[in-house]
Each structure stands twice: as C-alpha cells, then as structure tokens.
Amino acid sequence: MIEELANRIWSHPKFHEETSALRRLVFTSLFGFVGAKDGFEDHSRIIQRLTQSAIALASSERREYRRRSYEIATNIAEFAAHDLPGSTYALLLALGRLGNFPALDFAKRRYSISEHALPQQMVAESVIRRSQNSVKIADNSISLTDFQLELWNKLNSGKTIGVSAPTSAGKSFVLQSFTRRLFEDDRIRYAAIIVPSRALITQVSEDASAWVKTSPLQVELLTTPVHPESALPIRALFVVTQERLQLLLAAHPFLKLQLLVIDEAQNLGDGPRGVLLSSVVEECLRRDEDCQMIFAGPNLSTPERLSRGFGRDAVAVTTDEPAVLQNIFFLETGLSDTKQAVLSFLDGKQPVKVGTIDCDQPLLDHVAKLVNLALRLGTSGQSLVYAYGPSECENIAFGLSDTEPREPTPGQLELSKFIKDAVHPDFQLASFVLQGVGYHYGRLPSLVRKAIEDAFGDGSLNFLVTTSTLLQGVNLPARNLFLRNPRKGEEPISSVDFWNLAGRAGRLGREFSGNIFLIDYGSWESDPLSGSADRSVEPSLQSHLLNRTDSLISYIDNREHIPNPREPDEFENTFVKLVQDHMHGRLAQTLSNSGLPDFDTRRVALEASISRAVASVPLRAETISASPTVSIYKQNDLLTRLEKSIKAKGPSYVIPKHPRDPGAYVSYVAVLHRCHQEILKLPRSDKSAHYYAQLILRWMRGDPLPVIIDANIEFLRARGRTSNTATVIRNTLTEIESDVRFKYVRLFSCYNAILEAALLKCGHKDSVKSIPAVPFYLEMGASSVTMMSFIGIGLSRFTSTRLQRLARREDMSQSEARSWIERQNIQSLDIPVASAKEIQRVLRMA
C-alpha cells in the first residue's frame, strides 16, 4: 500500500514541478534575493501538499524516494518554520520514518520541539521505530540510522566485513563502538585501525580516546611504534599508518591482532603504499588467522571484493543514502560586468537559475573567483575552499583575510601566538587566523593541524582553505564548499573524488544540508557530475600480478634498474613482497589469491623470475623482511659495500653515531652517501647528503621547528642559495613529512638491517647492539628516552619538546612519563594553550 502510494506521487509531473519550485524558494531566500518570500501565502498550499508527500515517501524502501522525502521535509522546515510551525513536526515524523535519528535529534534541538506533541498514534510509531534502531553500548542506549544498525549487526557476526557509505553516514562511529564492545567483553587484547595519514591518526585516536578512558579493562591507545626493547601493554588499540604498523610488527614479532580495521580501504590501490598496506594486513593474518577484518571506505562499488586477495570472503554492508543532504550550485562568471556571477542549482540533471549575484571585487582569475565568491556566499555558515596545493592554499587564504580588519578574539590571538611558536614567527598562517581564516594541508605539524581543526570546529575560523587532505578522510565538514576546476595531484578530479569532497558539505547533527558551489563548471577539465560516485578499487598488488605481469617480470630481471628519484618506484614493494613469500613458502598462495591460475604461463614465468632473483642474492629472509620497501638487489649492493668498509676500517666506521653524539654530523653524511648511492642510486656527484644530514640530526635531537627552519635558511644562504622565508618554511615542512619521516625512515630501516647482517657476517656480533634505533628517532622526531616516552603516550613532538625542557630526568619510561604529567598542575606550566589541551586529551586516554 505504501509503495503504491509512493509510486503514484513520484509518477505525477506536478510533484516534481512543485519540488523544484520549493527549492528555488528556499535558495532565493537563503542567498538574500529581494522579495524571496513574496507571495508566500500562494505557496502555502503547495507546501502542505509536499509535506504530505514527504511523509508518505519516507516509508518507502526505494532510496531515491527516501532521499527526496528528506530533501522536501528539511527544505520546508528551513523555509517555513516561522510561518507554518506544523512543518517542523512533519519533519520529525519524516525523519523518524527514515530512521535518521541523529538528524531528528538535531531538529528537536534546533526548533525546541518534541515528537510527543504529535498525535498519540504518531508518537507511538516514533517510539517503536527508535526502539528498533537502538543498541546498548557500555551503559548507554544509542539510536542508530538504518544503515548503522545493519552494520552493527553484521559486525557482531564475527565475519570479515566490507563497508561502503558516504562520508556523513556515520560508519566510523559504529566501527569505534564495535571495537569498544569487543574490548569490554574481553574478546580481544589487541586491535589496530590502519589509516592513510598522520592527520587521520590524530582524528581517529581522539575519537577513540573518548571511550578508551572509561574502559574497565585498561585498554591503552597507541599511535606510534613501540620500541623493540619496550614491552607491549596487556591490551592496546593501535591507530597507525601502514608504515608505522610495519615498524611495530618488525619490532614485536609475537604481536597478534584480533581485530583489524582498514579505514579508507580504497588506499589498497594506492601504488607502492597500497602494496605495503596489503603486506602488513597479510602479516597480521599470518600471525592470527582468526583475526576479524573490516574494510571501510566512502562509496566503494564492491567492498566485499577487497578481502579476496587475502583469501577471505566478506559480507558487504553498503548505502548511498547520505545522512546530510548536499545541494549543488553553479556559479558562472565571465559576464559583461566582471563583478557579477549567475547562480543556479542542480535539479535532477538540469540547472535552474536562482539569480545574479554581485561581488565587491572583479572576478578576473582563478584565485580571485574563489576568494570573492566565497566571501560573498560563505556568510551562511562556515566554508571550505579547495586549493591545488600548499602554495595556492596560502594565496587564497591571504585573499580571504585581506578584508576590513576586525578585532581578533582571545582564542584567535592565542592560536596565532601558538602557530608562531610551533612553526616560525614569519609563518603567514599566524596572521590569517586573526581574521578568521585558516588553511590545512598534510605537511603542517600535527598539533598545528589539530589546533586549526579545533578552531574551525568551535567557530573561531569562518574560512578554511584545504588541499586534497580532505580526500584522505580528514573530517572537516562545513556548511559550504567552494570548488573551481579542482585537481588531485596533476590530474583533473575524478567523479569518485568529487563526490567524496562533496560529502564534506554539511555536518551531521549540526545542519540538514550542505552547499557545494561549482565555479565556471562548463570550463572544468573534467565532468565529475556525469560520473558515478562509486569507486571501483583494485588493490595495487593484485593489479601488478594480474594486469602487469610482463612489466613486473622485466623489472625483476633488470638488476641495474635506476629509479626516478622524484617518483615512487612502482614495482619495488611488490618485488620484495613476492621474494618474502617465496622464502617463506607462501608465494603460491599469494598468486592464487590474486587470481593467477595454476600453470598459467604468466604465473610460471613470474615464479621462475622470483626464484632466479632469490638465488642470486645471499640475504637471509629476516634481513629482507626488515626492509619490505627496498629491492633485494639494492640491499645486496649495500651489504657488499658495508662488508668492504668493515673489513678495511672496522665497525665504528659504518655504525651511525647517536644523534646527540658530537661527531654525529660527519657520521650521518657518510651514512647518507652510502644510502643515496646504493639504495636511491644517486650519482656520486650528488651533494644533498650534507643538507639532509643537518636536517635529520636537528629533527632527531628534538630541535623546535623555528630553529630547524632558521638553520635551513642559514644553510642555503651560506651556499649562495636564497629563497624567501615563506618558501623555505613551506619546503621545510614538506621535507620533514615527505623526506625525513618517510624516505629516510625507509632508508635507515634498510641500512640498520643490512648493517646488522654485515656485522654478523664479518664476525662482529657484539657491535650489533650499538646500532642506534634511527628509524624510530626519525619517525618520532626525538632521540632522548624521555621525549620519546612523551610522544609514545600520544603527545605531539611540539608539546613533548616543551615538557622535556621542564623535566629533570632524561630516562623516563612511558609509564614514568605519564605519572610525571599527572603530578603537574597543567595550567601553571609554561606551555601554550594548545599543548595544555593536548595533555588533557592524553590524560583522558590513560
């Protein structure tokens, strides 16, 4: 009966005409067009009809009907709440039937109403519907959406799960709640959530800290690798990137995970990093074959297929029904009046004109259009502006802040001061935040990123300019999103990435809808609106084995391959993984899981190529496994060089000094020369070892960023190379994130493993223990025991540096460091407010 009624409504042309008319009314009112509500009484009958239609469509099983119900009900409430108070109660009824209880609770708060004012039969319907969607987590009863409830029930089956949902669907909340349930039921000791970036580590770990603190089982939340000489806690939740998990697994060979959540699982297809992700997931399953796996990501077309490469069958839980509505607007410039733009909205597949807007400055180029249109239309809530990269981020932020000066708030003044302390006194971001403008990209220090996110979240910043960080799952939702010919890297944005970005418009529990403004869409290099939001993901490992077998074999057979230093070596991680599988007797299983049939000619040729490679290199399996991202040929070249040096000049010549040793600089220049020549295959004429040696030493010694940046400025000036301060700051941040904490962690992981093998082979077993843990120092940006302990319990490098200066002891363990913090009066310490807040968050996690 309900479906029949919904079909009749949907098939009526007048229903669609009136829906479009309603949206135009709402938008003309929203953007301040004169006379927007003229003739409202004439429209009230249309609104009443659409209200009845929305309530009927909400009970349908068809997603497009339910989506339209949400759109109509929220639009009517937004537009007519004052003139037609009953529209807000109709909204409650529709949201209850849709099972969207987060939005329903927001509606009750926003309009100060309750469903108990509805007729008794409707109240009973709402109560029963909410009860059906409620689950008990700890001692609380939580109301879930229909999608969240389905996911919760499937997770509790213990099976491998593939999850796909839009950004605002609330899947992360359910995954965290499920992880909590497993710990509190004492069903697991160790779990890991793998995320693609350090920015997401901060976000996910903060969400987890809210329940870890209250767990009766004393679960410890860890976001960094645990040193090999440190014991693991009894129970722990690890929130780490695949690189950090690889270091953790290598340091603790007996660690077994009972739950593994691969967040942003589309990154299995991210080239070399995707291969490393596959490798660490497979290692976790090898250690515990009963480990429950969950693959989660936005808009994955077939999420259940992601588990097949690991020999698992998965259950899919999917939805394309967003919990927040996204409105698509077009802004066309190039009019005779350069200060004007035509505003339209997307209705179905057609644009509908709303009107012409005026700006106070000409819309002449890319940056000017983003800046001035955001300033004109971004006043109805906070706004995100998408930029190509860090440099453009800063340019757009400059324009957005170049308005009439305003008196900064105390919070903005404190944030500005903190940024100067944490990065550099001349960092432009410090001045922009005083005008309510910030920017956000992955190279910013973690605590600065967090401070910017917090400031945007509490309303201290009105505008936030951001790069493709948003595509990596960072949760920075806003009311408005402005885009003009967006790109990801060097390529025009795809439909999948566009819809992922669009999901950042609108905040669940704070708004019913978000606005996406597409500037000059007709001249974009891509047409993302015409493509599907669903992402088809093929793991890079599987793609290499199935689709690029011949290229992979050619790579393996070419011992003299010279990598491009500016690009990732595409097949290197795959090559090393296959070598490891061969040496551990797992190669056949890996090839079968990828879909290569037995006796396939490509498979036979690949197996033969791997066998030849392994036979030609006298390396132990343990040594190769310690460097899963470096070709075994390069590992062998380094081994040969180190053996010659040890025999000629002794172990001390090749063992790196501790970073705090007075002779460390000379030692590290020599080590970097060896790594550059044997692993990166740079020419002997390359002199970059001198620059990077001083950079990584300052980083590992715990020097603050302003000191490191000033040292880089001086280093370049002494060699006749001058750059403006803004460029040096930007480049230094990039070098720390991309080189120091990624490339050189990789190089030193390999160097230390090969050095150990060389020392053992040359009869210097006692010297092995003197090799410093450089990869850990590089990852953490510290080399004192106390500072590493502060970082290990979850504090940023910036805060840890400040605390290390205050603490007397240099040798505190993590438990001692936490006890030391707990004894302090945090508010009285000479540290920035952002650090004090971070310490309080960490104490809540303890």
Side-chain angles (χ1 to χ4, degrees), residues 194 242-243 245 249 260 262 265-286 293 295 306-310 537-545 573-574 577 580-581 586 590 628:
I194 308 177
Q242 54 262 49
E243 289 82 10
L245 182 56
L249 294 172
L260 191 62
I262 300 92
Q266 68 273 13
N267 288 288
L268 283 163
D270 186 23
R273 290 196 75 213
V275 174
L276 180 61
L277 177 55
S278 292
S279 297
V280 296
V281 170
E282 194 170 284
E283 175 63 15
C284 292
L285 296 182
R286 186 188 68 78
M293 285 198 302
F295 298 87
L306 294 177
S307 66
R308 293 181 183 176
F310 306 102
V537 178
E538 183 176 33
S540 296
L541 177 63
Q542 185 174 333
S543 174
H544 290 170
L545 295 176
N573 292 7
T574 300
K577 183 197 173 348
Q580 291 177 268
D581 289 342
R586 301 192 298 261
T590 295

Side-chain angles (χ1 to χ4, degrees), residues 590-641:
T590 295
L591 298 180
S592 295
N593 288 345
S594 74
L596 270 177
D598 291 344
F599 309 114
D600 184 286
T601 55
R602 294 172 300 163
R603 175 168 176 160
V604 172
L606 181 57
E607 288 175 324
S609 181
I610 293 293
S611 295
R612 289 192 300 271
V614 172
S616 70
V617 174
L619 289 171
R620 295 185 307 151
E622 295 79 6
T623 302
I624 293 172
S625 296
S627 305
T629 63
V630 178
S631 162
I632 62 171
Y633 301 142
K634 298 175 186 176
Q635 292 188 42
N636 192 60
D637 291 344
L638 182 59
L639 177 64
T640 301
R641 179 166 176 167

Side-chain angles (χ1 to χ4, degrees), residues 501-545:
L501 274 180
R504 301 311 194 260
R507 294 166 290 190
L508 182 61
R510 295 178 64 178
E511 288 153 345
F512 296 122
S513 63
N515 304 317
I516 301 107
F517 295 95
L518 313 182
I519 302 172
D520 295 334
Y521 184 77
S523 62
W524 284 21
E525 296 174 86
S526 60
D527 181 18
L529 290 175
S530 66
S532 170
D534 290 341
R535 181 193 310 265
S536 179
V537 178
E538 183 176 33
S540 296
L541 177 63
Q542 185 174 333
S543 174
H544 290 170
L545 295 176

Side-chain angles (χ1 to χ4, degrees), residues 687-702:
K687 303 298 183 184
S688 61
H690 295 276
Y691 174 78
Y692 282 106
Q694 62 89 27
L695 176 61
I696 66 175
L697 281 173
R698 292 182 184 279
W699 176 253
M700 290 189 290
R701 287 170 179 166

